[in-house]
Amino acid sequence: MNYLIILFYLFVAILTFGKLPFGFFQQDEWLIFGTYLYLDKAPLDWLQRFFIYKQVTHLVPFTHFISYAQFELFRLNFFFYGVVAIILHLTNAILVYYLSSLLLKKRFLSFISGFLFLTTSISHQGFTWIATTISTSNSTLFLLLSLIFFTKYLNQTISQIRYIILSTVFFAISLLFKENSIFTFLFLPAFWFIYKRKDFTKLKMGLIILFPLGFFYTTIRIVNFFIISLSNSMEAAFAQPGLDVYVYRIFTLPLRFISQGILPQEFIIKIANNLMKLSYPPNSMLLKELSPYIAQSVGADIVSFFFSVMVIIICIIFLFLYKGRVQQYSKTILVSLVFISLSSLPFIFVPGKAGYNSLVDGRHLYITEIFTSILLPSLSFGFYILLRKSRIALALLVITFVLVSYYHITNIRSELQDQVQIGFLRKGILEQIYSNYPHLPQSIIFYVESDKAYYGLPPEETVVPFQSGFGQTLLVWYNDHGELFPACFFQDQYLYVQESVGYRECDGRGFGYVRSLAALRRILKDYQLSSDNLIAFSWNSSKGELRDITIDTHEAIK
């Protein structure tokens, strides 16, 4: 039967995510690839590459190592990245099914849990965005393994130390892929308290094994924090808020995670917009000018908090309903709420403006969806019991399940289709430029003009339809196609920021990218370059057409 479930999950995964391998790289992937090219070219040993270089704010050596190995294997072939992402997510869905079966001891509910995790559109960016796949998916995978072995450890009648050791090892691996699972240090004792509060032997053994890991990891993170705090170059993006803000987040972030792990942001925003219309007169200046901002901040918070309180009240009702009948359901509901709430803990300390967002980025809810997917079937079964297992209740639950699944699957397929289309466009632009100019001179400057600003840039900042700096994208693309640029071109995020322009010379080569004739003339003059060092293209957004204007630009700059 388990094999049939796995085959069904595989079918659903292909149906839902089958378009993913036919997309293309979006944004941060280009920065990551540039970093790995630097690691290839710079005189760094293996310790510096994976444990020291750029690991002051994030200590994730396993992510660096696996991502680097993946890049060395696949290079710029997106198809294989997409296949790996689907396999990892499918594996996690199967593990959610298995964890749920250990907790609920009911195969059908466990099947629903795994299915919900597999098909939710809320957190799919945690693996469909290739830049986060290795960190988020693998961290979640090893956290699931840790939780599975910890559950086995709690359920066994004769204590076997191997289960708690394996749980701790997998938890440590999860942390070294991504720090988001750090809340598990608090969750595991809470898990014990809910399930085996009278068995102090299991608690003692668990703490003896977990404490050294917690002490060691906390020490490293504190050192990293002080290094950042004492840095003279600390940016505003890393500025920490006051203590009162932390206290506020401790109470409000769990409420956001509970609601936004269940309700898609699209629904929250629509409800918030309708609340705005009900709260203010139609001709109100506040409604006309500030509606989108208020709806997606204060309005979203009101909806999130209200919905979460409703969920908590329903959970309390079913806790009492289950308590006298089947205790594993009441315990699972409680442990699910605790897990979801604690999973918000790492985001309490997010620095800068990002920490004030009312809407949680979907990829940050990927781990949260483990127990959201377990909680919902548990509550649904409680609803079924409450209505005396009537056929009407069963029909309502089946209809709801089908509609919810249809919404999430179609939503994911639609978003992936959009990614495929924009990816086809971007890849076509790069292939056209390379096809026209497969070999570059020692010093080259690209002039690429456009008639449109994309992705929130001011109207005067016209660029080609890429989310990151096109100059850095060209660097990575040409390097992968045989132009061996020196390491210095891949340092300091050179040309990565979307509106970045400039020119750099090092180790006998020069590379630049500009979007205006004035900047082009200045660079040609300052570096004494000729028109032979220039390649120029023009992007027409209405036609979706890239035109070679190199000869015309030669004439224009004379």
Side-chain angles (χ1 to χ4, degrees):
M1 179 64 178
N2 288 340
Y3 292 109
L4 291 177
I5 289 174
I6 292 173
L7 287 174
F8 181 76
Y9 281 0
L10 175 61
F11 169 76
V12 173
I14 294 173
L15 173 68
T16 308
F17 306 105
K19 297 178 182 178
L20 176 60
F22 301 98
F24 197 57
F25 307 109
Q26 297 182 48
Q27 183 178 6
D28 288 357
E29 298 94 326
W30 296 107
L31 178 61
I32 293 169
F33 295 157
T35 299
Y36 294 152
L37 288 173
Y38 175 76
L39 296 182
D40 277 342
K41 299 167 184 291
L44 300 176
D45 58 35
W46 287 94
L47 179 64
Q48 291 174 309
R49 289 184 182 190
F50 302 116
F51 288 90
I52 298 175
Y53 182 70
K54 291 194 172 181
Q55 298 227 29
V56 175
T57 56
H58 295 286
L59 184 65
V60 287
F62 286 5
T63 291
H64 280 291
F65 180 77
I66 300 299
S67 295
Y68 178 76
Q70 184 177 241
F71 174 67
E72 290 297 316
L73 284 172
F74 304 151
R75 306 303 290 185
L76 300 185
N77 191 331
F78 185 88
F79 180 86
F80 295 110
Y81 291 91
V83 171
V84 169
I86 295 173
I87 292 173
L88 285 172
H89 182 59
L90 175 62
T91 303
N92 286 337
I94 294 169
L95 291 176
V96 169
Y97 159 76
Y98 186 65
L99 175 62
S100 179
S101 67
L102 293 176
L103 296 173
L104 296 174
K105 296 177 171 48
K106 205 171 189 66
R107 181 170 289 178
F108 180 70
L109 293 181
S110 303
F111 165 76
I112 298 298
S113 296
F115 185 87
L116 290 176
F117 183 86
L118 178 67
T119 58
T120 180
S121 62
I122 291 174
S123 59
H124 76 87
Q125 285 187 351
F127 73 96
T128 58
W129 184 21
I130 300 304
T132 68
T133 300
I134 296 301
S135 60
T136 302
S137 295
N138 280 296
S139 177
T140 304
L141 188 154
F142 285 100
L143 177 60
L144 279 163
L145 289 173
S146 175
L147 295 174
I148 286 169
F149 281 104
F150 191 79
T151 305
K152 286 177 174 288
Y153 173 71
L154 292 181
N155 287 339
Q156 63 189 357
T157 53
I158 301 175
S159 181
Q160 294 186 18
I161 194 172
R162 60 174 178 153
Y163 286 146
I164 188 63
I165 291 176
L166 285 171
S167 176
T168 304
V169 169
F170 286 132
F171 174 36
I173 295 173
S174 173
L175 278 174
L176 293 176
F177 270 107
K178 193 173 184 178
E179 308 100 321
N180 286 15
S181 58
I182 192 172
F183 69 92
T184 310
F185 281 118
L186 297 178
F187 173 71
L188 293 181
F191 197 177
W192 164 83
F193 181 80
I194 294 169
Y195 272 83
K196 297 285 183 179
R197 69 184 69 179
K198 295 180 180 180
D199 192 341
F200 284 95
T201 303
K202 282 188 168 60
L203 175 65
K204 181 180 178 181
M205 184 62 67
L207 290 177
I208 289 173
I209 295 174
L210 275 173
F211 181 78
L213 174 63
F215 179 79
F216 177 72
Y217 188 80
T218 302
T219 301
I220 292 175
R221 300 310 293 164
I222 290 174
V223 170
N224 283 354
F225 176 79
F226 277 106
I227 290 174
I228 298 170
S229 300
L230 296 175
S231 173
N232 293 327
S233 59
M234 184 175 177
E235 299 177 5
F238 292 100
Q240 296 291 336
L243 181 62
D244 54 339
V245 176
Y246 287 131
V247 174
Y248 174 77
R249 289 179 183 176
I250 287 173
F251 291 99
T252 58
L253 267 179
L255 296 178
R256 289 178 184 146
F257 272 62
I258 291 171
S259 58
Q260 294 179 34
I262 300 173
L263 279 181
Q265 288 189 5
E266 176 186 354
F267 288 8
I268 294 175
I269 293 172
K270 283 184 178 180
I271 296 171
N273 282 328
N274 288 327
L275 285 176
M276 288 288 297
K277 293 176 183 178
L278 293 172
S279 301
Y280 300 98
N283 297 324
S284 169
M285 293 298 293
L286 184 66
L287 192 62
K288 290 180 179 179
E289 296 182 7
L290 299 178
S291 177
Y293 307 101
I294 295 179
Q296 294 183 33
S297 55
V298 178
D301 274 342
I302 293 172
V303 175
S304 296
F305 297 162
F306 179 77
F307 184 80
S308 293
V309 170
M310 288 180 57
V311 170
I312 292 171
I313 291 173
I314 292 172
C315 287
I316 292 172
I317 292 172
F318 285 130
L319 281 174
F320 287 103
L321 174 69
Y322 280 135
K323 189 174 182 180
R325 301 185 182 185
V326 190
Q327 284 198 354
Q328 71 257 29
Y329 294 126
S330 61
K331 290 179 179 179
T332 301
I333 288 174
L334 185 56
V335 82
S336 297
L337 277 180
V338 171
F339 182 93
I340 294 168
S341 300
L342 289 178
S343 68
S344 69
L345 180 63
F347 302 94
I348 291 173
F349 303 98
V350 171
K353 295 180 180 179
Y356 293 89
N357 290 339
S358 297
L359 295 171
V360 182
D361 198 324
R363 70 182 188 274
H364 298 319
L365 294 168
Y366 190 77
I367 287 180
T368 305
E369 288 299 310
I370 294 173
F371 272 91
T372 300
S373 301
I374 295 174
L375 175 65
L376 292 178
S378 303
L379 294 178
S380 299
F381 190 67
F383 175 76
Y384 182 53
I385 292 176
L386 190 64
L387 296 181
R388 301 179 185 276
K389 299 184 178 181
S390 67
R391 293 182 178 179
I392 295 177
L394 181 61
L396 286 174
L397 290 174
V398 170
I399 292 172
T400 302
F401 173 73
V402 171
L403 290 176
V404 169
S405 300
Y406 177 79
Y407 167 81
H408 284 293
I409 291 173
T410 54
N411 195 32
I412 291 172
R413 285 174 58 85
S414 176
E415 289 186 22
L416 291 181
Q417 181 59 37
D418 292 340
Q419 288 185 27
V420 169
Q421 290 178 352
I422 188 64
F424 181 79
L425 177 66
R426 291 171 179 169
K427 188 175 182 180
I429 291 173
L430 291 169
E431 288 178 338
Q432 181 180 340
I433 294 175
Y434 177 75
S435 176
N436 287 14
Y437 300 94
H439 303 289
L440 301 178
Q442 288 296 103
S443 295
I444 184 66
I445 181 166
F446 283 91
Y447 167 68
V448 185
E449 64 181 23
S450 173
D451 60 356
K452 184 178 179 179
Y454 289 90
Y455 305 110
L457 287 179
E460 65 274 9
E461 295 287 352
T462 54
V463 295
V464 287
F466 283 72
Q467 290 174 262
S468 59
F470 190 56
Q472 196 259 0
T473 303
L474 286 170
L475 261 173
V476 174
W477 184 262
Y478 266 96
N479 192 92
D480 193 65
H481 286 74
E483 291 287 343
L484 301 180
F485 292 108
C488 46
F489 284 126
F490 301 100
Q491 279 184 298
D492 308 321
Q493 299 187 9
Y494 175 56
L495 296 178
Y496 169 71
V497 179
Q498 193 178 16
E499 61 268 33
S500 293
V501 294
Y503 180 82
R504 176 181 290 184
E505 287 185 346
C506 58
D507 294 346
R509 297 214 62 173
F511 187 93
Y513 165 76
V514 294
R515 293 179 283 110
S516 71
L517 285 174
L520 175 63
R521 290 191 180 98
R522 183 176 64 254
I523 290 173
L524 292 175
K525 180 181 179 182
D526 292 345
Y527 290 89
Q528 298 180 349
L529 302 175
S530 70
S531 58
D532 293 335
N533 303 107
L534 169 66
I535 293 175
F537 282 88
S538 179
W539 170 252
N540 187 313
S541 60
S542 58
K543 295 181 179 180
E545 179 181 272
L546 186 70
R547 187 167 57 92
D548 189 338
I549 58 168
T550 301
I551 296 176
D552 295 339
T553 307
H554 286 175
E555 295 296 324
I557 61 175
K558 283 184 178 179

